[in-house]
Amino acid sequence: MIEILFYMAGAIALIATVAALTQTNAAHALIYLIVSLLAVAVLFFLLGAPFAAALEILIYAGAIMVLFVFVIMMLNLGEAGRSREREWLAGRNWLLPGVMAALLLFELVLAVRHAPSLTSGLAVDPKAVGLSLFGPYLLAVEIASMLLMAGLVGAYHLGRRFIVRRTGRR
Amino acid sequence: MEGLQIPLQHVLLLAGALFTCGLAGLILRRNIIFMLMSLEVMLNSAALAFIAAGARWGQPDGQIIFLLILSVAAAEVSVGLGLVLQIQRRFKTLDMDQANRLRG
């Protein structure tokens, strides 16, 4: 019976992804994309990877999506921003994503109630991940840190010129 | 695993379907923000496949590759969105067919 949760979450992930990539309004697409990421996080939890599920929500649905929101809001400054914002707050835009997210929360509650059976067997706990990450995969951690450093420097370089020109022109 | 018995093929099919959605979005959409979102979806589906494989054999390696994919996605999206700001400022559009100074 608990297997149904997996297929439900998978269907929600697929539907939300298709809905996200076929929208014309970037902000609406972002809401659907967040629902899709939440669905994938529930899939991770059901597959016995609670650490990965938490990271998916924190970093993907939290940090990376906030970057998208910032850029969309920055690009929409100026013409007709307020009426567009009022349109975004209309109920029909967030009703379907809200229903999907509520379904995912329901699934998560059900899964947590089944937690002893879910985290037994082949589930991988965070301790094993940490031990392996800072044991045999230490070089990969270093490479990831160098990659993040390169991303930080690159993003600062691109964004700094944007900000300086904008304030200099005023 | 006694609690949840999902065949690995079904998870891989789902990951493949998500990847196909992302690829189709990347090819069909011309708005660069949607192209970046499609890239996120594709990376995410790859991560799902890794997690499924890690859960299948009960090894932590899948989640470690997921962490690496996460850092790649974070670096990619920060640089990509910086480029979006530059392109918007320089070409006054987000349509990638307009930004064809290289005549590609």
Side-chain angles (χ1 to χ4, degrees):
Chain A
M1 177 260 155
I2 196 87
E3 286 84 4
I4 297 173
L5 295 183
F6 176 86
Y7 295 105
M8 265 177 67
I12 290 176
L14 262 183
I15 292 169
T17 304
V18 171
L21 297 181
T22 51
Q23 295 279 323
T24 52
N25 190 325
H28 298 170
L30 214 53
I31 296 176
Y32 279 107
L33 197 59
I34 290 173
V35 172
S36 161
L37 294 175
L38 292 180
V40 175
V42 171
L43 287 181
F44 286 173
F45 187 78
L46 291 176
L47 283 173
F51 183 54
L55 278 183
E56 172 94 6
I57 290 180
L58 281 178
I59 297 183
Y60 255 114
I64 294 180
M65 289 302 121
V66 162
L67 281 183
F68 273 103
V69 169
F70 274 153
V71 167
I72 289 173
M73 294 297 166
M74 277 177 83
L75 296 182
N76 276 328
L77 277 183
E79 86 287 359
R82 294 186 60 182
S83 65
R84 204 179 289 176
E85 196 137 338
R86 202 166 291 128
E87 179 196 343
W88 286 347
L89 290 177
R92 64 180 191 284
N93 291 328
W94 50 264
L95 191 60
L96 186 55
V99 168
M100 285 191 198
L103 270 179
L104 287 173
L105 180 65
F106 175 66
E107 280 193 25
L108 193 62
V109 169
L110 275 185
V112 167
R113 287 183 61 195
H114 277 263
S117 61
L118 282 178
T119 52
S120 67
L122 290 181
V124 181
D125 55 339
K127 185 180 173 186
V129 177
L131 281 177
S132 186
L133 190 63
F134 290 100
Y137 283 98
L138 193 57
L139 192 63
V141 175
E142 295 298 329
I143 292 173
S145 70
M146 283 165 63
L147 179 70
L148 285 176
M149 187 71 193
L152 176 69
V153 172
Y156 176 71
H157 180 67
L158 291 170
R160 184 180 58 97
R161 286 171 62 191
F162 178 78
I163 293 167
V164 166
R165 293 281 179 84
R166 279 289 292 269
T167 52
R169 197 180 292 163
R170 284 175 189 173
Chain B
M1 192 189 300
E2 57 187 71
L4 193 64
Q5 301 220 337
I6 305 292
L8 182 62
Q9 288 87 352
H10 293 186
V11 191
L12 291 183
L13 270 178
L14 178 63
L18 282 175
F19 190 89
T20 311
C21 287
L23 188 63
L26 185 67
I27 293 173
L28 296 177
R29 300 303 296 258
R30 291 272 65 89
N31 189 325
I32 188 171
I33 288 187
F34 283 93
M35 292 167 82
L36 281 175
M37 285 185 197
S38 307
L39 281 178
E40 291 301 308
V41 169
M42 287 162 72
L43 283 173
N44 204 29
S45 69
L48 177 61
F50 271 113
I51 294 276
R56 166 69 179 77
W57 282 281
Q59 297 294 320
D61 305 64
Q63 296 192 39
I64 286 166
I65 301 295
F66 168 74
L67 288 177
L68 297 183
I69 289 177
L70 206 61
S71 55
V72 167
E76 169 246 330
V77 92
S78 58
V79 174
L81 289 174
L83 282 173
V84 168
L85 293 180
Q86 288 290 325
I87 287 169
Q88 165 73 16
R89 190 173 65 84
R90 197 158 295 182
F91 295 99
K92 305 294 180 215
T93 178
L94 290 178
D95 188 355
M96 278 303 95
D97 283 343
Q98 304 295 318
N100 55 355
R101 196 174 281 176
L102 280 177
R103 307 270 176 251

